[in-house]
Amino acid sequence: MLRLPPYQYHRPTSLDAAVALMAEHGDDAMYVAGGTDVVPNMKHRLFEPGHLIALKSIDELKGIEEVPSSNVKEGVLRISAAETLTAVASHPRVRDLFPALADAAAHVAGPQLRNSGTIGGNVCLDTRCTYYNQTHFWREALGFCLKKDGDVCHVTRTGKKCVAAHSADTPPVLITLGAEAVLVGPNGRRAMPVADFFVADGIVNTRRSRDEILTEIRIPLASAACRQAYVKLRQRKSIDFPLLTVAVAADVDGSGLVRSIQGVVTGLGSRPRTLTKWNDVAEGRALDGELIDELAKGAHKQCHPLENIIVDPEWRRAMVPVFVKRALEQVTQE
Ligand SMILES: Cc1cc2nc3c(=O)[nH]c(=O)nc-3n(C[C@H](O)[C@H](O)[C@H](O)COP(=O)(O)OP(=O)(O)OC[C@H]3O[C@@H](n4cnc5c(N)ncnc54)[C@H](O)[C@@H]3O)c2cc1C
Ligand code: SF4
């Protein structure tokens, strides 16, 4: 049986207290929300914090509501970071306004994990790799790797870069909806588009500094006018992390012509990838079979999965156009 290492558990009830605890314990502390990723990773000795700072008792991190915004005219849907994935997937306003997000949240792991796992933890989820998400014993036998305790990457076979895969379901959808992430830390509050939150570095793949708390996600209500879709490739129909996900949002006018369209894939590289040139190809055209084929072929050219997940990268690449097509066909059926 894998056991947890010893640690001290803190349960602050305000954001200020949580940030102060992090300042007190520094590199020996980590935030934890639902713990559905932190706990298994601690058992594998991937994270070894002496202090866990729990976020779920902080009221400022609760609630899903429509609120006015100083920079978005129509207002935003505010989803607080400690809301569970079950709450996001079943919330009536999320389902009405942003069905692709409800769908993505409902596809994370299985029901028990969604009851505990949060949207904040999903957005801040660690990257995953065949050579990393293993026990200490397993990793030690291979000489560890660049991301943790070692100095070489077993995927790229160099000591330069970690290419572990971004493996969270909700961020691609949030990107297509133009959502913003709000962070609070010792230097105050800042906000950035979810599209800019991620970086292409498998070791730490976000711009959040380790002492910052993601407090909420803000989705422009205007994005609700877009037709949305989300599809996921995984080994089984439940529990499994994505091998590939595709999120699409399309703004289509009254005569069925595309005003703008965005597609984001993940499960391949270290951050979600926005498929390029979609607007150049699609603007002003009907979203018909011909256009769908063009966009799907373009996606295939742009995506080159690596051996960071156990499933054959060539097969995953072959699945890219198949799943892009499925997402686009879903959008046309709305
Ligand atoms: C068997 C299994 C299957 C899974 N399948 C999937 C899947 O299909 N898709 C998927 O996306 N995920 C999957 N997961 C991972 C996980 O359950 C979800 O991603 C979940 O949303 C994580 O949320 P959490 O609140 O439990 O995060 P935690 O485990 O508490 O935290 C995850 C990370 O985020 C940080 N963090 C959490 N909240 C905040 C915050 N508000 N501010 C700053 N940092 C924060 C933590 O420090 C930690 O680094 C799976 C997990 C398991 C065990
Ligand atoms: S991509 Fe390379 S460095 Fe990163 S976790 Fe995998 S083996 Fe380790």
Side-chain angles (χ1 to χ4, degrees), residues 148-212:
K148 176 75 177 137
D149 299 327
D151 51 17
V152 72
C153 170
H154 303 296
V155 176
T156 60
R157 305 215 163 53
T158 72
K160 292 200 181 99
K161 197 167 181 204
C162 167
V163 291
H166 176 265
S167 303
D169 283 277
T170 62
V173 180
L174 294 173
I175 293 171
T176 60
L177 297 173
E180 195 178 61
V182 180
L183 300 162
V184 167
N187 300 321
R189 178 185 189 276
R190 64 183 179 130
M192 70 179 81
V194 177
D196 297 339
F197 184 72
F198 296 100
V199 293
D201 179 352
I203 294 183
V204 179
N205 77 334
T206 74
R207 292 203 158 86
R208 178 183 74 84
S209 65
R210 58 182 312 288
D211 52 5
E212 283 182 306

Side-chain angles (χ1 to χ4, degrees), residues 208-235:
R208 178 183 74 84
S209 65
R210 58 182 312 288
D211 52 5
E212 283 182 306
I213 298 173
L214 172 68
T215 57
E216 63 194 48
I217 297 293
R218 297 167 77 85
I219 312 175
L221 293 174
S223 298
C226 289
R227 296 186 187 179
Q228 309 154 29
Y230 158 86
V231 292
K232 172 172 180 171
L233 171 66
R234 56 181 163 177
Q235 277 163 307

Side-chain angles (χ1 to χ4, degrees), residues 103 106-111 114 169 230 232-241 243 323 326:
D103 207 13
H107 276 79
V108 174
R114 290 195 293 273
D169 283 277
Y230 158 86
K232 172 172 180 171
L233 171 66
R234 56 181 163 177
Q235 277 163 307
R236 295 166 294 189
K237 283 205 164 165
S238 69
I239 290 280
D240 281 329
F241 281 93
L243 300 174
F323 277 71
R326 283 185 193 172

